[in-house]
Amino acid sequence: MSQRRYDSVDAIGGLITITLGLVAAYISLGYSMGSVVAIGPGIFPLILGVLLVLLGAGILMSAWGRESEAVPPLNLRVIACVLASITAFGLLIGTAGLVPAIMACVILSRLAEPGSRTVPLVVLGLALSLLCWLVFVVGLGLPLRILEWPF
């Protein structure tokens, strides 16, 4: 009897992706689908859910037949920095504006890996702020505040 080999990390990732796709597709069924001429708000999440299920199935199928690598240990510093970055962005975008929110996001995300240099970090934050301003404010016309003193 031969032993089946599979990559457990990819298998778990595939199952998670399939589950997220099924949940998105199920939730989208509560929205109107509309018609071919005038599609409703449920079509886009349904298509994304189906694509996630197909992608997850591909990941799951590719996991079989190859040896699993050792599961890396959970790095709590990375998780805490990324969650802090997302939280800071959400709290600052409405009160302080786009530039401070992006700068806080970049700085807190970069703290996940030790040894960050200040000048490239500031340049990255300013470049991302400029890019977001060009895309969302200038290009799409969204009414985002760029810089506002909240006090």
Side-chain angles (χ1 to χ4, degrees):
M1 183 178 242
S2 66
Q3 183 180 2
R4 298 198 74 144
R5 299 183 329 194
Y6 67 96
D7 187 354
S8 61
V9 174
D10 278 356
I12 292 170
L15 289 173
I16 290 172
T17 306
I18 290 171
T19 304
L20 287 174
L22 289 173
V23 168
Y26 178 74
I27 291 173
S28 74
L29 296 177
Y31 297 114
S32 169
M33 295 296 161
S35 66
V36 176
V37 177
I39 61 171
I43 289 291
F44 187 68
L46 179 64
I47 291 172
L48 285 180
V50 170
L51 288 176
L52 277 173
V53 169
L54 293 174
L55 179 67
I59 293 170
L60 189 60
M61 287 189 298
S62 72
W64 268 268
R66 65 175 192 252
E67 195 65 32
S68 178
E69 296 179 13
V71 178
L74 193 61
N75 191 343
L76 294 178
R77 177 182 177 148
V78 171
I79 293 171
C81 287
V82 170
L83 288 177
S85 169
I86 294 169
T87 303
F89 183 84
L91 293 173
L92 289 173
I93 190 73
T95 57
L98 185 67
V99 174
I102 290 176
M103 291 299 291
C105 189
V106 168
I107 291 169
L108 289 172
S109 295
R110 188 61 180 108
L111 290 176
E113 185 178 330
S116 62
R117 297 184 322 205
T118 306
V119 173
L121 194 61
V122 171
V123 170
L124 176 64
L126 292 175
L128 285 175
S129 297
L130 176 65
L131 179 66
C132 288
W133 175 74
L134 286 172
V135 170
F136 296 111
V137 177
V138 175
L140 296 175
L142 295 178
L144 293 174
R145 293 179 282 191
I146 303 303
L147 183 60
E148 184 170 312
W149 185 252
F151 303 108

